[in-house]
Amino acid sequence: MAEVINEMNVNFFSRSCNESFARTVIAAFVAQLDPTIDELADIKTAISEAVTNCIVHGYKSGIGKIYLTAKIYENGRISIKVKDRGCGIENVEQAMEPLFTTGGSERSGLGFAVMQSFMDKIKVTSKVGKGTTVSLDKYIIRRTVKNEKNQ
Amino acid sequence: MGVEILKSSSEVTAKIEGDIDHHTAAEIRRIIDENISLLRPSLLKLDFGGVQFMDSSGIGLIMGRFKLVKTAGGNLKVVNVPRRLERMIKMSGLTKLGIF
């Protein structure tokens, strides 16, 4: 089991202006792994989707707190959790189907599909009335470490 | 985030700048839709050349404008899509609509 070498926790209100805040925070934290622009864009996109789900679905009837945690492991794995204490998802399998949405005609229903495609691993746990946690993992090839070893 | 609207006799071009997420999409949508209902263009162009970031809210934005402009009897084209957004657009299946 790889060791955790860094960790961050931040929580914020489920206001839509915090979607860009969450992306910026995660990008700043991941930057220490020296990711490529594409890797960084993938992570930012996945986090944006997860946080948007908390706002649009989890806390659809009001404002609640969103809990964002991230861990960096020595093997280059970044593990991110986006958690809400909102309404929860009745049928997680159905919610994860591409194009399924309860968010109206302006929502594409692609959120989970994007998270699946842009990250290496996704796990969703949810309980109706308790909330939802989305766990997202991605491996970043640590070029700086590789370079150090080569020197 | 910003939207610049360029108008000609039968065309409206909406030049979108910055990030498209669920938060910014609401304002972008409001500005574009206002112009669609006012001008009823035969062609609406969404210019994505200035888009720095987009999540699936951008797909919802395109889908919604496609339906709206079609209902008003017009057509939609999405132009200057940056390379980094192509993966998301391919995933959405929107390429089948012939709007790119």
Side-chain angles (χ1 to χ4, degrees), chain B residues 52-67:
Chain B
Q52 300 297 319
F53 169 88
M54 181 181 101
D55 66 15
S56 66
S57 306
I59 301 299
L61 182 79
I62 298 171
M63 280 164 48
R65 304 306 59 70
F66 177 76
K67 284 179 197 161

Side-chain angles (χ1 to χ4, degrees), chain B residues 48-95:
Chain B
F48 271 52
V51 176
Q52 300 297 319
F53 169 88
M54 181 181 101
D55 66 15
S56 66
S57 306
I59 301 299
L61 182 79
I62 298 171
M63 280 164 48
R65 304 306 59 70
F66 177 76
K67 284 179 197 161
L68 193 67
V69 87
K70 279 280 173 193
T71 309
N75 286 305
L76 177 77
K77 280 278 172 204
V78 184
V79 298
N80 296 326
V81 177
R83 188 197 60 84
R84 63 182 174 278
L85 304 185
E86 284 173 4
R87 189 163 148 212
M88 171 85 72
I89 285 167
K90 273 182 196 153
M91 266 187 73
S92 72
L94 283 182
T95 45

Side-chain angles (χ1 to χ4, degrees), chain A residues 11-31:
Chain A
N11 55 68
F12 46 87
F13 280 0
S14 61
R15 297 199 182 279
S16 60
C17 59
N18 284 330
E19 290 157 11
S20 65
F21 170 73
R23 291 197 298 273
T24 308
V25 164
I26 208 72
F29 186 66
V30 173

